[in-house]
Amino acid sequence: MTEMEPDLLATDHGTADSDASYGIALRPLSFFRQSEQVDFEGVWLLADLIASDGRWRKPIVVESTQGIIMDGNHRLRAAMRLGLRAVPCILLRYGDPRVRVRDWNTGEPFEIARIFQTIAAGALFPYKTTRHFFEPRLPDTAIPLAQLKGA
């Protein structure tokens, strides 16, 4: 598998509308671009929880063309801490009707262009700057960590 091959693992068909389903793909950690700073204590706790479960349960949601993390910055850092080579993700685009972005503090709509500009400049947003909402609800996975270490 190369970085850009879709390797679909599962699809959630939560509604009768096929456009609402999410595909889950496996991507190497190098594909992902962190978008916000993280709380490292939270990363360590999350890594411990994932390791004790032995399975990856929640895919990282990522902008499909540039790898910008929409939801899952802490999970990416936990995957690094666990020595995983790849993780499951949901590839979406800003502008997709299933995605809404709000300012974490004000609840106001967040300017999407600002996300691309900030990441292109090599900067990260502060912890809890953006809040992404997905409708319908995102699917879960149950992929053994051993599979992700050898991916």
Side-chain angles (χ1 to χ4, degrees):
M1 174 182 71
T2 66
E3 284 187 31
M4 298 313 291
E5 288 178 321
D7 190 24
L8 293 179
L9 300 172
T11 302
D12 175 55
H13 297 284
T15 70
D17 179 3
S18 63
D19 291 339
S21 65
Y22 299 103
I24 299 174
L26 193 62
R27 289 289 185 272
L29 297 189
S30 61
F31 171 73
F32 299 95
R33 296 176 69 186
Q34 189 174 331
S35 59
E36 290 187 0
Q37 296 170 349
V38 296
D39 166 27
F40 281 100
E41 185 175 328
V43 169
W44 297 327
L45 291 171
L46 182 58
D48 289 346
L49 284 171
I50 293 168
S52 68
D53 185 33
R55 295 184 179 278
W56 191 274
R57 300 285 180 179
K58 190 171 179 183
I60 293 174
V61 185
V62 62
E63 194 282 326
S64 63
T65 64
Q66 296 187 30
I68 298 169
I69 294 176
M70 294 179 174
D71 183 45
N73 287 289
H74 284 80
R75 279 173 272 143
L76 174 66
R77 298 302 292 235
M80 291 174 175
R81 183 167 171 79
L82 293 169
L84 304 182
R85 296 183 62 196
V87 292
C89 64
I90 296 173
L91 302 165
L92 294 173
R93 288 184 178 230
Y94 286 108
D96 185 310
R98 299 172 292 182
V99 179
R100 288 185 305 123
V101 188
R102 302 280 183 199
D103 183 287
W104 189 273
N105 295 308
T106 69
E108 295 295 318
F110 199 88
E111 185 181 353
I112 302 304
R114 193 170 150 211
I115 294 171
F116 287 102
Q117 291 165 350
T118 300
I119 303 307
L124 296 176
F125 287 105
Y127 177 57
K128 301 277 187 197
T129 297
T130 63
R131 189 163 189 195
H132 290 69
F133 295 90
F134 307 97
E135 185 62 41
R137 189 178 74 81
L138 298 170
D140 292 328
T141 62
I143 300 171
L145 295 182
Q147 179 181 341
L148 300 174
K149 286 183 178 182

